Amino acid sequence: MALFSRRFGLVAALAVGLAAPAFAQAPAAAPVRGGALTIGVESDFEGFDPIRAGVYSNSTVTAASLFYETLMRLDDKGNLLPALALSMTPNEDGSVWTAKIRPNVKWHDGTPFTAQGVADHFNRLLDPANRFAGRAYLAIEKVEAPDDLTAVFKMRGPNAALPKTLAQPTVTTLIISVKAAQEKGADYNRNPVGTGPFVFKEWRAADRLVAERNPDYWDKDKPYLDRVTVRPLPDSDARYASLVKGDVQVIWEDRAENIVKAKKDKNLRVLTWVGSGALVIPLNTQREPLNDKRVRQAVSMALNRKANAAVLTQGLRPVYDDPYGPSSGIECKDSGALKYDPAAARKLIADYGKPVKLTMTVTASPRGREGAQVFQADMKKAGIDVEIKPVDQTQLVKEALTRDFQVTGWRIIDLADVDPQMFANFHSKSPINFSGYNNAEVDRLLLVGRTSLDENKRKAAYCDLIKILNDDAVWLWSGSNIDFAITRANVHGIPGLRGGAVQVEGAWLSK
């Protein structure tokens, strides 16, 4: 059965763009069964009930992907593959999508997985009573289950990108057992039940999470590993040292020095994924003095983004003037980006007429501190004082989502289509619009990008949109969204790091 109708095939293919890993693991004769794998990630997990967790970091998606699955999957070239759904087919205008559910799948507690479970998951997230901020990522009105193997997605309007939006593991798309969540209550957040390749065994906060092979997994050939342990190791140098010693076999990494060293080590392999999205510096447009456009523009022109990235990342992350990235398929001839011009920034501050003092909230990590120090030095040249406020990542996320910041660090994660992130971050009614930005024309363009079935119109809307955002200096694009993982040489079968997540359903260890 086709994954989507012929009429929508081209639309969906264009919407995803192509993102391919710069490094492909060398093929081996055949996967080896057995063994245990330990993954080092940058932070502890928010929990595994999306309602209670609120957000999934890439560390949490790495762990959640052991237990939960998406309806569809994406291969490394952006092609749709069946998973919990065998197909997704639209009606004539893309306002309704019908998913045919894979038969004979079981939840980890032994109960049957059906279309009702799909409907329960998404409708729970969409229910306003649950106050789930992540519902802004979904353009779904409701999901119905007319029979056990049919889930019908009724959209808020035409939407060509739904299958690929649902194919990447995120806080919204990884399907949980709502029945188990209702039975366990608050305890479910630490005791996930899904359909995935591994079953939950143990979680020691700030230490480790342990999962074991699911003997009843629907894909009988997988997983190959017997056990997976995910360890939060916030210090990147300690994380890298654990890999070199062999205490862990895979790490997520973003520290340039360690990536460069790993490329020279014959015992290690570096996996690289060039995705959409960007490393960003959001400015809170609701807080003085950043509620004044002159100050925001001064901050933008005072920041030497490209030179800073070259130093901080040793050339590993080029800087673009938009958050789309080469893999999005969106290329804007004119992004309207404000150029580096500290003299013009000083004039804007003088015109503002008051001293400008900012607090920048960053993660208490070498990467966070280094980036903040560079920002602080650039701002000083324009007469802007910056205080650096280092916090742990969980606190940074909390402060961002409650708009309790002036300047912070963030990342627009790699997604198969740019709509969910752009709509969630910049639409005036979005609960995740933590910069507090409100622009009627931006809202209109976001709706064009979300609902139009004409891919050229969508691309034009996103290019018009970025000109407005860059002129208003809402977020500053400080680096491209490239994810890295480093593995021991005997680790195989890890796919592209979509959204920065390390997925190990098909991973195996050579002897």
Side-chain angles (χ1 to χ4, degrees):
M1 186 178 290
L3 296 179
F4 41 81
S5 73
R6 181 170 297 181
R7 177 173 177 235
F8 279 76
L10 179 60
V11 174
L14 288 172
V16 71
L18 295 177
F23 174 90
Q25 296 191 39
V32 176
R33 290 192 172 279
L37 181 77
T38 300
I39 307 169
V41 295
E42 69 167 342
S43 65
D44 204 3
F45 321 109
E46 292 86 3
F48 300 98
D49 180 348
I51 297 291
R52 295 180 182 276
V55 65
Y56 283 179
S57 63
N58 57 12
S59 300
T60 302
V61 174
T62 293
S65 295
L66 300 171
F67 316 121
Y68 301 147
E69 298 180 279
T70 53
L71 282 176
M72 310 295 286
R73 289 180 184 155
L74 292 163
D75 67 16
D76 285 351
K77 294 184 178 179
N79 299 309
L80 276 168
L81 303 173
L84 290 178
L86 298 175
S87 67
M88 292 191 71
T89 307
N91 67 350
E92 283 301 307
D93 69 354
S95 62
V96 178
W97 286 83
T98 300
K100 289 301 180 182
I101 303 303
R102 183 182 296 276
N104 304 316
V105 176
K106 293 181 180 179
W107 295 107
H108 293 158
D109 60 10
T111 57
F113 171 80
T114 66
Q116 189 59 54
V118 176
D120 290 345
H121 168 77
F122 287 103
N123 290 336
R124 180 174 183 254
L125 300 184
L126 293 166
D127 185 350
N130 288 326
R131 306 172 70 88
F132 175 57
R135 69 181 182 275
Y137 288 107
L138 298 169
I140 302 165
E141 184 67 35
K142 64 179 177 179
V143 184
E144 298 175 346
D147 61 58
D148 283 353
L149 298 179
T150 306
V152 179
F153 289 77
K154 296 189 174 180
M155 311 302 293
R156 295 177 192 149
N159 190 296
L162 182 68
K164 292 192 175 183
T165 298
L166 298 185
Q168 181 165 322
T170 67
V171 68
T172 59
T173 62
L174 289 165
I175 297 176
I176 79 163
S177 170
V178 173
K179 177 177 177 291
Q182 291 171 340
E183 291 172 350
K184 293 176 181 287
D187 289 343
Y188 181 86
N189 199 40
R190 297 186 61 86
N191 295 275
V193 175
T195 61
F198 297 90
V199 296
F200 174 81
K201 286 298 177 184
E202 180 185 21
W203 176 14
R204 294 184 224 160
D207 180 38
R208 68 191 60 213
L209 179 144
V210 180
E212 293 184 352
R213 188 178 190 276
N214 177 5
D216 296 320
Y217 189 49
W218 57 264
D219 187 343
K220 299 304 180 185
D221 292 334
K222 296 176 182 175
Y224 302 116
L225 297 166
D226 293 328
R227 173 177 282 226
V228 177
T229 301
V230 187
R231 296 197 59 200
L233 300 170
D235 185 282
S236 59
D237 290 335
R239 194 162 63 241
Y240 182 76
S242 294
L243 178 73
V244 172
K245 287 173 59 181
D247 293 340
V248 302
Q249 291 77 50
V250 183
I251 62 171
W252 179 88
E253 188 55 271
D254 67 347
R255 189 164 172 78
E257 291 83 350
N258 294 336
I259 295 165
V260 170
K261 284 189 293 186
K263 288 183 175 182
K264 300 174 183 178
D265 189 330
K266 68 180 187 324
N267 297 312
L268 304 176
R269 293 176 177 169
V270 176
L271 311 183
T272 304
W273 179 260
V274 183
S276 64
L279 301 180
V280 299
I281 300 174
L283 308 180
N284 190 336
T285 66
Q286 298 296 307
R287 285 273 188 98
E288 289 188 353
L290 294 170
N291 59 346
D292 191 298
K293 180 177 176 178
R294 291 170 296 180
V295 177
R296 297 197 306 272
Q297 286 187 327
V299 171
S300 178
M301 288 190 285
L303 186 64
N304 197 351
R305 297 180 299 122
K306 296 183 179 181
N308 294 344
V311 172
L312 291 171
T313 73
Q314 297 190 29
L316 292 175
R317 292 185 190 275
V319 174
Y320 306 114
D321 293 329
D322 59 54
Y324 305 139
S327 70
S328 70
I330 300 171
E331 186 175 354
C332 303
K333 293 181 180 179
D334 178 14
S335 66
L338 300 174
K339 303 302 181 185
Y340 173 60
D341 190 341
R346 286 193 294 272
K347 289 180 181 178
L348 284 169
I349 296 300
D351 187 51
Y352 176 66
K354 292 182 284 187
V356 174
K357 296 183 179 181
L358 301 174
T359 298
M360 185 177 195
T361 306
V362 295
T363 55
S365 65
R367 168 174 53 90
R369 290 190 178 95
E370 288 167 2
Q373 287 164 359
V374 168
F375 181 86
Q376 183 185 54
D378 278 353
M379 294 305 109
K380 186 175 182 180
K381 296 173 186 175
I384 299 172
D385 291 332
V386 176
E387 176 187 350
I388 299 172
K389 178 184 173 183
V391 298
D392 65 50
Q393 180 162 305
T394 302
Q395 182 66 21
L396 183 144
V397 170
K398 179 181 177 182
E399 292 186 9
L401 294 178
T402 56
R403 294 183 186 166
D404 186 18
F405 74 100
Q406 282 185 309
V407 183
T408 191
W410 201 255
R411 184 166 75 116
I412 299 181
I413 66 169
D414 163 46
L415 290 179
D417 191 272
V418 302
D419 162 64
Q421 283 283 13
M422 296 303 290
F423 199 95
N425 291 320
F426 300 111
H427 194 278
S428 62
K429 303 299 184 185
S430 167
I432 301 180
N433 175 4
F434 51 81
S435 282
Y437 185 60
N438 189 336
N439 184 303
E441 177 62 7
V442 166
D443 285 355
R444 186 190 71 81
L445 291 167
L446 286 167
L447 284 172
V448 173
R450 169 159 285 187
T451 63
S452 177
L453 300 181
D454 184 325
E455 194 60 27
N456 289 327
K457 286 184 179 179
R458 294 186 79 223
K459 290 179 180 179
Y462 286 122
C463 287
D464 290 343
L465 167 64
I466 201 62
K467 286 182 183 179
I468 299 172
L469 293 178
N470 280 338
D471 183 65
D472 277 349
V474 184
W475 286 18
L476 313 180
W477 322 114
S478 58
S480 50
N481 203 19
I482 302 178
D483 281 294
F484 300 93
I486 310 174
T487 78
R488 302 287 300 180
N490 68 325
V491 178
H492 310 272
I494 295 177
L497 308 168
R498 291 187 179 276
V502 179
Q503 295 181 275
V504 295
E505 172 227 341
W508 56 278
L509 304 171
S510 57
K511 301 299 183 182

